[in-house]
Amino acid sequence: MSEKGEVDLTGAKQNTGVWLVKVPKYLSQQWAKAQGRGEVGKLRISKNQGKAEVSFTLNEELTVIDSVGDKGSQVHVPREHPFTMQMVGGQTLAVFTETSSGQSEERSDSSVPDKIALEGVVVQRAECRPAVSDSYMRLKRLQIEESSKPMRLSQQLDKAVTTNYKPVANHAYNVEYERRKKEEGKRARGDKQQVLDMLFSAFEKHQYYNIKDLVDITKQPVTFLKEILRDIGIYNIKGTHKNTWELRPEYRHYQGEAEKSD
């Protein structure tokens, strides 16, 4: 047995061989309708002149597809499905299963299953194909007609629609974004020393400032202002003064007063 997040290699140790079989979509959908013990049909393996012949016979009660197409008539899928055998070739294919205890909320990473087990290595590939018959051709014709229908259809309304939303020339958040963008574009970078003087003067009055207030004081672009603040200031990411800037200790003119108040 394996621990959480590990792979159980029991299938590899037992040298378990499995078949990889491609089946039609409608056949897998009919299998999902199986009742009781979940028996879906029978697999027959025989030999003809030394060559293996494999076929699958679908249970009679699973052959009916209800309400296909606009007519809503019953369509029967083929029962007989011969296999076309294929070689695995130079590939190494394996079958894995995942199991979960249902406690994904308690795990730090819910994408990691409780157990991954190697069921076996693929030793034979095959394709399960329906035997051509009138019922199969009718099924394919109806499926093609359904898939070719347009996703949107025109419809005549008996009365005017009154629940629709009136168009808006521009949404409020777009207007605000454009206003801020224009305002930012008008600001030109000033002399760095002049900006430093304005910042030091402001921090002599107050210890903490948010970036919006400093932009209003210096009239500088946000990116340029942050470049300067990183050299002389500290950004508080938590605590009482969260999301504010203050000067580094070596630049504080109020340092002595702050120590006395403490």
Side-chain angles (χ1 to χ4, degrees):
M1 298 298 291
S2 65
E3 299 295 331
K4 183 183 295 185
E6 296 182 355
V7 180
D8 183 0
L9 299 177
T10 304
K13 295 177 181 178
Q14 296 176 351
N15 197 22
T16 305
V18 296
W19 284 25
L20 179 62
V21 182
K22 181 180 179 181
V23 300
K25 183 178 180 180
Y26 72 84
L27 191 58
S28 64
Q29 292 173 341
Q30 294 303 102
W31 287 351
K33 300 177 183 179
Q35 303 294 328
R37 293 165 50 188
E39 184 176 315
V40 296
K42 294 181 179 180
L43 190 68
R44 182 172 63 253
I45 303 176
S46 60
K47 280 192 176 184
N48 183 11
Q49 296 180 356
K51 294 183 65 175
E53 291 186 350
V54 184
S55 63
F56 171 74
T57 303
L58 183 66
N59 279 355
E60 182 69 32
E61 61 270 19
L62 296 178
T63 60
V64 179
I65 299 180
D66 297 325
S67 301
V68 177
D70 296 332
K71 299 179 181 179
S73 58
Q74 288 186 343
V75 178
H76 292 265
V77 301
R79 291 195 64 192
E80 298 299 326
H81 294 78
F83 279 25
T84 301
M85 310 305 291
Q86 302 173 0
M87 299 298 295
V88 178
Q91 293 179 309
T92 301
L93 305 174
V95 176
F96 294 87
T97 57
E98 295 182 358
T99 56
S100 175
S101 63
Q103 300 175 348
S104 60
E105 294 83 359
E106 300 178 3
R107 299 201 301 265
S108 58
D109 186 1
S110 59
S111 64
V112 178
D114 289 338
K115 178 183 175 183
I116 301 177
L118 175 63
E119 297 298 326
V121 178
V122 176
V123 297
Q124 180 66 60
R125 295 179 64 179
E127 186 172 354
C128 178
R129 295 181 177 181
V132 179
S133 61
D134 292 340
S135 61
Y136 175 69
M137 298 307 295
R138 184 185 179 196
L139 171 64
K140 292 301 296 182
R141 184 176 69 253
L142 291 175
Q143 288 178 337
I144 293 172
E145 290 176 356
E146 287 293 310
S147 62
S148 61
K149 287 183 179 179
M151 296 297 294
R152 297 180 180 181
L153 300 175
S154 59
Q155 182 179 2
Q156 184 176 356
L157 302 178
D158 297 331
K159 58 181 180 179
V161 178
T162 58
T163 58
N164 60 324
Y165 295 94
K166 294 182 179 180
V168 179
N170 203 352
H171 293 282
Y173 58 83
N174 287 333
V175 174
E176 176 63 18
Y177 173 78
E178 293 296 332
R179 184 192 68 79
R180 293 177 58 186
K181 187 176 179 181
K182 289 181 180 179
E183 184 180 349
E184 186 73 15
K186 292 178 181 178
R187 295 195 181 105
R189 293 192 177 193
D191 180 72
K192 184 175 181 179
Q193 187 57 49
Q194 292 180 352
V195 178
L196 284 171
D197 293 340
M198 286 188 285
L199 289 173
F200 285 134
S201 177
F203 278 110
E204 286 180 358
K205 300 175 183 178
H206 300 285
Q207 183 176 356
Y208 303 99
Y209 285 94
N210 59 42
I211 191 65
K212 182 178 180 299
D213 292 335
L214 292 176
V215 168
D216 293 338
I217 293 171
T218 61
K219 307 300 181 185
Q220 296 297 306
V222 175
T223 54
F224 178 55
L225 189 59
K226 286 184 177 180
E227 289 177 7
I228 299 176
L229 286 169
R230 292 189 189 101
D231 294 334
I232 65 170
I234 299 172
Y235 184 68
N236 297 299
I237 60 175
K238 60 182 179 179
T240 308
H241 302 286
K242 184 180 179 181
N243 299 331
T244 62
W245 287 89
E246 65 174 318
L247 289 177
R248 292 185 178 182
E250 59 267 30
Y251 295 112
R252 295 174 185 171
H253 296 283
Y254 48 81
Q255 184 175 9
E257 297 178 3
E259 290 176 351
K260 291 179 182 179
S261 61
D262 292 336

